[in-house]
Amino acid sequence: MDLHIINGTIVNAESTFEADILCRNGKISRIGKDLVSDHAKVQTIDASGCLVFPGGIDPHVHMHLKTGSGYSADDFLTGSTAALYGGTTTIVDFVTPEKNQTLQEATQLRMKEADNCLCDHSLHVSPVVWRTCMPEEISRMVSETGLRTFKVYMAYKDSIGLDDTVILQVMKAVAKAGGVVLLHCETGDEIDQNRKKLIFENKTSPLFHPVSRPGDMEAEAVSKAIEMAGQTDCTIYIVHVSSKKSLEHIKKARARGLKIYAETCPQYLLLDDSLYDGPFEEVCKYVMSPPLRKKEDREALWEALRSGVIQTIGTDHCPFTLEQKKTGLHDFTLIPNGAGGVEHRMALLYTYGVLTGKITLNEFVALISANAAKIMGFYPRKGMIAEGADADIVVWNRNRDSRISAQTHHSAGDQNIYEGFKTTGSPEMVIKDGQIVVLSGVLNRIPGRFLKTNAF
Ligand code: URP
Ligand code: ZN
């Protein structure tokens, strides 16, 4: 069956125009005025008054993440359901191998875990140790498995974090293979010392979480990452940038012509560290890394979106239940880190970015879809409404008011860091690979597909 979307206003990263769309066999087959389908069956969708966006791409989610407090609250099924309700049709999660596993072995297992994902999906792969065969594993990952993004952690030195010497080796190997290195930038050793000292001083509440990992430690790690990228000629992507100082380093590096991209998340644009002050049950949901920052950081992040210093909005979606967060009731360092948000990314950015005039509609589409598609290697298949692209389409009702709540969200998490936030604008209909997956609040469960990436 063909889908025929009429009367909508199409918004891409580069242009906005009135046109109709025909979808056939999962692809956008034609765009234009007065289109006629020659298919025996056509479903016509009247998008009058609506905006029509390419499906959202969230480049940073953690579904079914194994931690000391059990798996994160959302598996791939519930997490992708939440994503689709919010207009995100593609998610990119992570492979975090055991130290004795090859990247290939761990990736095969992770792909199985993602089997029930309803979004199209791909994976970033994390080297967590260095072996002499790692360059070979990385090269095969790009050329055979079809994954080209590799994530390294400068934090979490007691588990998956890497020393700078190893990160340099990874960057060399990834640059040679034609990939991109994603970095979680926080100086792990200093943070570990801070955490130990605070607990020793009996400063155990979530209030001390942001104290233990200040913005300067993120910025210092960003600066080191940039230096290493320069030495290795490696393309890098800094995940969840949250501090004003980090942005200054990134801006300068981009001006020097280094191949560097940056992501931030809605929580760093909309929330701040005053939220850590309160009873454990209310504030533990904000424990994530990096932590929420100050008002001046938020303002700098908005400016960085507008000026193009930041290219993408991910969510770092990784919710835990209150019960799981209580693992750290008497020691904030034991609270599982992370919060949900995959469902709200587009509505929040639309409401607090587009409707306040901070960013344009085209910048919105670049930030929630097109730029991630380009950097992660899904472009031109995804990230724009164009003939030949996958028919991942969001028909956006620009007037519908909503209020975010854990009572109504689709994540399996029982808390929401945006509880009470009002939004205007939400998907009227979500189409993925040419099939309607959400219509008037009802989900149509169609399996997502695993996405290989283009070489860089
Ligand atoms: O606090 C966070 N960000 N949790 C998710 C796991 C990670 O660090 O990326
Ligand atoms: Zn993350």
Side-chain angles (χ1 to χ4, degrees):
M1 182 170 68
D2 280 3
L3 288 183
H4 188 191
I5 305 166
I6 58 169
N7 300 328
T9 302
I10 297 172
V11 188
N12 275 328
E14 282 87 21
S15 59
T16 305
F17 54 100
E18 315 280 320
D20 302 339
I21 303 171
L22 266 182
C23 307
R24 176 174 290 184
N25 298 332
K27 299 276 180 194
I28 296 174
S29 54
R30 290 189 57 203
I31 297 176
K33 283 281 176 202
D34 305 319
L35 301 176
V36 180
S37 166
D38 55 7
H39 201 287
K41 279 193 173 172
V42 188
Q43 181 172 354
T44 301
I45 296 155
D46 187 355
S48 295
C50 290
L51 301 171
V52 180
F53 300 139
I57 300 175
D58 189 334
H60 188 159
V61 300
H62 303 269
M63 308 303 177
H64 194 63
L65 180 75
K66 196 173 172 188
T67 74
S69 311
Y71 284 96
S72 57
D74 275 320
D75 61 13
F76 279 89
L77 178 63
T78 59
S80 60
T81 297
L84 289 175
Y85 271 104
T88 291
T89 50
T90 299
I91 56 174
V92 193
D93 206 291
F94 295 82
V95 181
T96 312
E98 299 295 334
K99 291 195 169 156
N100 59 0
Q101 278 175 327
T102 65
L103 301 184
Q104 273 69 23
E105 284 163 350
T107 302
Q108 292 309 318
L109 291 172
R110 191 68 173 148
M111 281 162 77
K112 282 210 180 74
E113 287 180 342
D115 252 358
N116 57 359
C117 188
L118 302 180
C119 291
D120 284 357
H121 52 279
S122 191
L123 296 165
H124 309 295
V125 183
S126 282
V128 292
V129 286
W130 185 255
R131 292 183 282 270
T132 46
C133 55
M134 193 58 82
E136 171 65 17
E137 288 181 38
I138 287 172
S139 159
R140 282 183 44 221
M141 190 55 65
V142 177
S143 60
E144 292 172 19
T145 317
L147 298 180
R148 73 169 201 205
T149 46
F150 298 86
K151 161 110 175 265
V152 297
Y153 295 82
M154 298 171 91
Y156 310 140
K157 292 297 270 291
D158 56 348
S159 53
I160 54 176
L162 296 178
D163 287 331
D164 294 351
T165 47
V166 176
I167 293 177
L168 259 178
Q169 307 262 51
V170 172
M171 282 190 186
K172 276 185 203 156
V174 172
K176 192 161 173 221
V180 182
V181 169
L182 279 61
L183 294 112
H184 175 136
C185 289
E186 288 185 299
T187 52
D189 293 329
E190 283 89 340
I191 288 169
D192 287 344
Q193 276 173 25
N194 282 354
R195 281 154 62 93
K196 280 191 193 123
K197 183 164 176 286
L198 287 162
I199 296 301
F200 182 75
E201 291 166 357
N202 213 20
K203 295 174 175 163
T204 59
S205 84
L207 189 61
F208 296 100
H209 174 65
V211 178
S212 70
R213 35 198 343 133
D216 283 2
M217 291 189 179
E218 176 188 305
E220 194 185 324
V222 167
S223 162
K224 274 190 191 168
I226 288 170
E227 203 180 298
M228 291 189 273
Q231 283 171 36
T232 54
D233 198 26
C234 183
T235 304
I236 61 169
Y237 173 102
I238 317 273
V239 298
H240 49 48
V241 175
S242 65
S243 112
K244 182 179 175 180
K245 268 201 183 160
S246 300
L247 293 168
E248 287 158 17
H249 292 303
I250 294 165
K251 193 173 169 184
K252 280 190 199 140
R254 286 176 66 82
R256 271 167 57 201
L258 293 186
K259 294 171 284 184
I260 169 167
Y261 302 104
E263 164 200 278
T264 192
C265 313
Q267 56 266 35
Y268 303 118
L269 292 163
L270 297 170
L271 308 176
D272 64 56
D273 65 356
S274 61
L275 291 164
Y276 292 108
D277 195 0
F280 181 91
E281 279 74 8
E282 281 166 35
V283 306
C284 61
K285 64 183 174 185
Y286 303 110
V287 173
M288 62 186 80
S289 295
L292 302 174
R293 305 283 188 207
K294 308 257 177 241
K295 187 165 173 272
E296 67 201 57
D297 297 291
R298 280 168 45 179
E299 282 165 6
L301 288 167
W302 279 113
E303 172 55 26
L305 293 189
R306 208 201 47 72
S307 62
V309 174
I310 288 178
Q311 290 74 40
T312 66
I313 303 285
T315 55
D316 203 1
H317 181 88
C318 189
F320 292 92
T321 61
L322 175 58
E323 214 41 48
Q324 289 177 301
K325 290 271 183 186
K326 279 186 183 167
T327 315
L329 186 58
H330 304 295
D331 178 345
F332 74 87
T333 67
L334 301 177
I335 301 173
N337 277 211
V342 73
E343 183 170 354
H344 315 303
R345 182 181 70 121
M346 287 173 58
L348 286 170
L349 195 69
Y350 183 82
T351 306
Y352 295 96
V354 177
L355 296 184
T356 58
K358 289 191 176 79
I359 54 170
T360 66
L361 262 181
N362 304 101
E363 286 165 348
F364 169 80
V365 171
L367 288 162
I368 56 93
S369 183
N371 289 347
K374 288 176 188 166
I375 298 165
M376 305 303 161
F378 311 134
Y379 200 79
R381 183 175 162 192
K382 295 195 183 286
M384 68 172 163
I385 307 262
E387 289 179 4
D390 285 355
D392 296 345
I393 299 168
V394 181
V395 178
W396 188 260
N397 179 334
R398 46 180 135 186
N399 300 317
R400 190 189 291 121
D401 292 329
S402 311
R403 192 175 161 278
I404 296 175
S405 172
Q407 306 300 315
T408 50
H409 71 199
H410 294 88
S411 159
D414 58 2
Q415 316 179 87
N416 195 309
I417 55 172
Y418 305 107
E419 186 71 39
F421 267 65
K422 290 185 178 150
T423 57
T424 298
S426 61
E428 189 66 42
M429 175 186 288
V430 181
I431 297 163
K432 190 186 72 63
D433 297 313
Q435 310 207 55
I436 299 172
V437 286
V438 179
L439 174 59
S440 306
V442 179
L443 180 75
N444 181 17
R445 282 190 185 202
I446 292 173
R449 296 181 304 177
F450 183 75
L451 287 177
K452 290 188 174 189
T453 58
N454 310 327
F456 202 66

